[in-house]
Amino acid sequence: MSHAVVSMVQRLRENAGLGLLFANGGFATHNHTIILGSRPIAAAHFPRSFDYQADADAHRGEAPALVETYVGPAAIETYTVLYNRDGSIKHGVVVAITVDGRRTLAKVPAEESATLDLLISGDVEPVGMTGEIAGNANGDQIWLRTG
């Protein structure tokens, strides 16, 4: 971030105006933002509280209840694909919303290459896609694409 600040200051010295810098910190768990200007910002006042957690909480709804064992239709809420050290796909994980609004997890085994290719291709948006969750002999919940 320090390189970005120096670069922005140099640019603002050449061309008057404002500059916005944004960065992630921690383990991508903290956001850092700074506005730099070639002249004071009239509306700025200090000291100032930058804690917006209460505002964020007020806009967020209740988290869906988690159901650990589920079989049936569901829609993808989010997903990720895990890789082995050699770059091959280990498996995928789908966070899904059940038809009654609960949240559950399901695995996409490495053998389900068509589904994994769909998740990582960028050709379509998997979020919202419907499918089925089925159990297997190991007790895992398995995501099956139906559409």
Side-chain angles (χ1 to χ4, degrees):
M1 187 68 174
S2 59
H3 287 82
V5 171
V6 170
S7 180
M8 183 63 74
V9 167
Q10 290 173 338
R11 173 137 314 161
L12 291 171
R13 287 179 177 167
E14 294 168 4
N15 303 302
L18 297 173
L20 171 69
L21 299 174
F22 176 82
N24 287 321
F27 294 98
T29 55
H30 300 288
N31 297 318
H32 305 279
T33 306
I34 185 171
I35 298 175
L36 300 173
S38 56
R39 61 190 176 286
I41 301 171
H45 60 280
F46 299 97
R48 185 175 179 176
S49 172
F50 294 99
D51 184 357
Y52 293 99
Q53 190 63 52
D55 291 337
D57 291 342
H59 287 89
R60 185 179 11 261
E62 288 292 318
L66 179 65
V67 58
E68 294 184 23
T69 304
Y70 176 81
V71 173
I76 295 176
E77 183 177 29
T78 191
Y79 61 93
T80 192
V81 176
L82 302 154
Y83 293 85
N84 294 305
R85 288 192 175 270
D86 66 2
S88 63
I89 292 177
K90 185 174 183 178
H91 64 270
V93 177
V94 168
V95 178
I97 297 294
T98 65
V99 292
D100 61 358
R102 297 178 296 164
R103 180 177 282 153
T104 193
L105 297 173
K107 184 177 184 179
V108 182
E111 302 78 47
E112 293 291 329
S113 59
T115 300
L116 290 164
D117 288 346
L118 175 82
L119 292 177
I120 62 175
S121 72
D123 294 336
V124 297
E125 176 55 68
V127 173
M129 186 176 292
T130 58
E132 289 281 330
I133 296 176
N136 71 5
N138 296 332
D140 294 330
Q141 293 186 169
I142 304 298
W143 174 262
L144 303 170
R145 184 173 161 231
T146 58

